[in-house]
């Protein structure tokens, strides 16, 4: 039982050291958890206020989801 505890403790220490070094090298930090109140207020601010805004938002989202299509163009030469 004591051997298992020592092995788990060693793995925990190694994990903490590696994560600490990763934070120092890459500058990452744990994200603070947002409270439900702030999330609710952000959702209210994001909602469009008018029908026209809702339509434009829907069209923008549907445009962003469409796949790009390769189109071949024919060159039109004008006669002088």
């Amino acid at each position: 039982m004591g051997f298992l505890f020592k092995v788990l403790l060693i793995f925990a220490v190694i994990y903490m050291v590696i994560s600490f070094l990763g934070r120092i090298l890459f500058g990452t930090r744990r994200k603070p958890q947002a409270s439900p109140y702030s999330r609710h207020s952000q959702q209210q601010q994001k909602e469009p206020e008018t029908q026209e805004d809702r339509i434009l938002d829907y069209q923008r989202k549907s445009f962003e989801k469409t796949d790009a299509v390769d189109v071949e163009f024919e060159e039109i030469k004008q006669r002088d």
Side-chain angles (χ1 to χ4, degrees):
M1 189 74 172
F3 177 73
L4 181 63
F5 178 73
K6 288 179 184 178
V7 170
L8 290 175
L9 184 63
I10 289 171
F11 280 121
V13 169
I14 291 172
Y15 171 76
M16 288 189 299
V17 168
I18 290 173
S19 66
F20 179 71
L21 290 175
R23 287 184 201 164
I24 290 174
L25 293 175
F26 300 112
T28 58
R29 295 181 182 169
R30 291 186 181 177
K31 296 180 182 176
Q33 294 180 353
S35 66
Y37 301 110
S38 64
R39 198 176 328 151
H40 181 67
S41 64
Q42 289 175 353
Q43 287 177 352
Q44 285 181 348
Q45 292 173 355
K46 287 184 178 180
E47 291 180 6
E49 296 175 355
T50 64
Q51 183 70 20
E52 185 177 338
D53 290 338
R54 289 189 195 107
I55 293 170
L56 292 174
D57 190 38
Y58 174 76
Q59 289 176 345
R60 180 183 52 81
K61 287 180 183 177
S62 63
F63 177 76
E64 290 174 353
K65 291 179 184 177
T66 57
D67 295 330
V69 179
D70 288 337
V71 179
E72 295 181 17
F73 293 100
E74 295 181 18
E75 186 176 344
I76 301 173
K77 296 183 179 179
Q78 295 180 355
R79 295 183 185 177
D80 292 326

